[in-house]
């Protein structure tokens, strides 16, 4: 069996969640991911042990998987990318503009992550949170840090994460 190496980013794309609660299919790709900013993490599992006073060993152990998330930074976001991850709408120009919505906007999308080589990731339902985070220097650029948190899909039989071998 061939080993699979997964590295780099080709595209990170977002789609509205399908009307039936499954994965969306009409994706908008984000064109510019800051070098070495993309990462996937999983929290440690939560372990609960039920014990009796009379024994040192648990009589029941429950384990719940830790949350999985992806994080990356847009290297060169435009107003369309800002609307995609913060909410709000773009006003046509010229020049086009976007305004930060009042209050927190809960953004849920289908997310597809395609690396340069290796496994591909599809998240049918994800919470998208973003924060403006970057420098205005000569050796770094302003950016938007985005966190993708995997949520349970609302469509029955749809799994929270689909990982596909490269074609």
């Amino acid at each position: 069996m061939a080993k699979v190496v997964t590295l780099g980013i080709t595209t990170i794309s977002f789609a509205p969640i399908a009307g039936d609660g499954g994965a969306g299919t009409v994706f908008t790709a984000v064109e510019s991911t800051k070098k070495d900013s993309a990462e996937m993490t999983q929290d440690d599992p939560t372990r609960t042990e039920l014990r009796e006073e009379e024994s040192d060993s648990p009589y029941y152990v429950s384990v719940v998987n830790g949350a999985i998330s992806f994080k990356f930074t847009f290297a060169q976001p435009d107003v369309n990318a800002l609307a995609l991850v913060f909410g709000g709408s773009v006003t046509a120009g010229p020049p086009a503009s976007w305004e930060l919505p009042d209050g927190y906007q809960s953004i849920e999308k289908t997310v597809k992550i395609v690396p340069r080589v290796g496994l591909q990731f599809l998240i049918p339902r994800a919470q998208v949170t973003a924060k403006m985070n970057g420098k205005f220097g000569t050796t770094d650029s302003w950016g938007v840090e985005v966190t993708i948190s995997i949520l349970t899909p609302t469509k029955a039989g749809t799994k929270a994460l689909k990982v596909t071998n490269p074609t």
Side-chain angles (χ1 to χ4, degrees):
M1 174 182 263
K3 295 185 182 195
V4 177
V5 174
T6 303
L7 56 91
I9 293 291
T10 298
T11 57
I12 300 173
S13 304
F14 299 84
I17 296 170
D20 65 358
T25 57
V26 180
F27 287 90
T28 299
V30 174
E31 304 276 329
S32 183
T33 305
K34 192 174 222 177
K35 187 170 183 68
D36 294 329
S37 72
E39 65 180 352
M40 176 184 183
T41 59
Q42 183 172 12
D43 295 341
D44 290 336
T46 302
R47 181 180 165 99
T48 303
E49 296 182 355
L50 301 180
R51 296 175 178 267
E52 297 173 325
E53 288 293 333
E54 297 81 13
S55 175
D56 289 338
S57 300
Y59 64 88
Y60 180 80
V61 176
S62 170
V63 179
V64 176
N65 278 333
I68 299 172
S69 63
F70 291 85
K71 187 184 290 187
F72 66 95
T73 301
F74 287 149
Q76 300 176 49
D78 62 9
V79 294
N80 294 310
L82 295 173
L84 188 65
V85 297
F86 284 106
S89 59
V90 174
T91 303
S97 64
W98 166 82
E99 293 178 340
L100 181 67
D102 293 334
Y104 173 76
Q105 303 289 306
S106 181
I107 310 285
E108 289 188 10
K109 301 274 187 189
T110 295
V111 180
K112 181 169 52 172
I113 299 167
V114 179
R116 287 187 183 197
V117 296
L119 301 172
Q120 297 182 15
F121 302 85
L122 177 68
I123 306 159
R125 180 175 173 236
Q127 181 180 43
V128 180
T129 55
K131 65 180 183 176
M132 296 181 200
N133 189 10
K135 299 177 181 179
F136 290 90
T138 58
T139 60
D140 201 355
S141 64
W142 180 80
V144 173
E145 185 178 300
V146 179
T147 301
I148 307 298
S149 301
I150 295 177
L151 301 175
T152 301
T154 58
K155 181 179 181 180
T158 301
K159 299 298 183 186
L161 175 64
K162 182 177 182 180
V163 181
T164 306
N165 272 331
T167 53

